[in-house]
Each structure stands twice: as C-alpha cells, then as structure tokens.
Amino acid sequence: MAFMISQRAFIKIYLITMVERHRGYGYQMLESMKDEFSSFGYVPPQSEVYRALHELVQEGVFYRTKKLKGTDPRVDFQEIVLYHFTDDGEEKARLYKKQVKADLDRCLGMLHKAEQDNYS
C-alpha cells in the first residue's frame, strides 16, 4: 500500500467531478484545479492532468468529442476536446471515487495522528 494517495488518483477524482458537473474541457479543468489549490501551494502539472484524462478514456470512464471553441466557425478555429461519461462510465467513476475515498480517509487519519503526536 502506498504511503499517501497518488497525485494521479487525486487529479482523477477532480476530473470526474468536473465532468459530473459538465465543467469544461481539458485546459479549463487544469486552470480550475490551479485556482482551487494555489492557496495550498499545489499546481497540478499539465502533463499529469492530460495523462489522467487519457487514462480515464482508456479505462472506459470517459469518451471524447471535439468542437470549435467559439460559435463562429469562420473565425473560431481553435478546436477543444470535451469529455463525457461512457454508457457505464458513471458507475465506473462512482466505484473509483469510492476506492479513492477509502485511501483519502486513511491518509487523513495518518496526517491527523502525525499532527497530534508531533505538534500538540
């Protein structure tokens, strides 16, 4: 068993939640995570966010669609990739988040114990 939760698992649970809430495309998700965690001094690496998205696609949780970023195809040429749940992706995501929750609870317990033992 790992010492603490892996960065990739941490990123994946946030990506799953963002897709559940229909929030954006890859770069938008990355920027959202940067904003959420900057106060903790954590900046998720772009490469890790895209690797996690790729893994979720490979694992059959997400599928990808492409569309133009803007509304006018004559001027808006930037294509974005949107992520959606596959037919059984929501169930796979629920099971994955349940597994990660158990790991988070274990890590929180260890961190709380370390804080109590060493800083009380």
Side-chain angles (χ1 to χ4, degrees), residues 3-69:
F3 177 64
M4 291 285 164
I5 185 172
S6 75
Q7 176 177 237
R8 182 91 40 93
F10 181 81
I11 290 171
K12 280 182 176 182
I13 61 172
Y14 274 90
L15 295 173
I16 288 168
T17 299
M18 286 185 227
V19 170
E20 287 171 344
R21 296 176 182 166
H22 308 288
R23 292 184 57 199
Y25 49 94
Y27 184 75
Q28 243 178 356
M29 292 179 199
L30 170 66
E31 291 301 310
S32 177
M33 287 184 71
K34 283 180 181 180
D35 291 344
E36 291 282 328
F37 296 105
S38 64
S39 64
F40 300 103
Y42 174 66
V43 177
Q46 180 175 343
S47 60
E48 282 300 308
V49 170
Y50 284 102
R51 281 186 190 115
L53 284 167
H54 184 71
E55 281 182 11
L56 288 164
V57 169
Q58 283 184 322
E59 293 162 359
V61 177
F62 294 161
Y63 71 93
R64 302 162 31 132
T65 59
K66 294 181 180 182
K67 74 172 217 166
L68 293 178
K69 186 175 181 180

Side-chain angles (χ1 to χ4, degrees), residues 68-83:
L68 293 178
K69 186 175 181 180
T71 56
D72 186 351
R74 294 171 293 162
V75 262
D76 298 318
F77 297 111
Q78 185 178 6
E79 194 172 66
I80 58 173
V81 176
L82 300 171
Y83 294 87

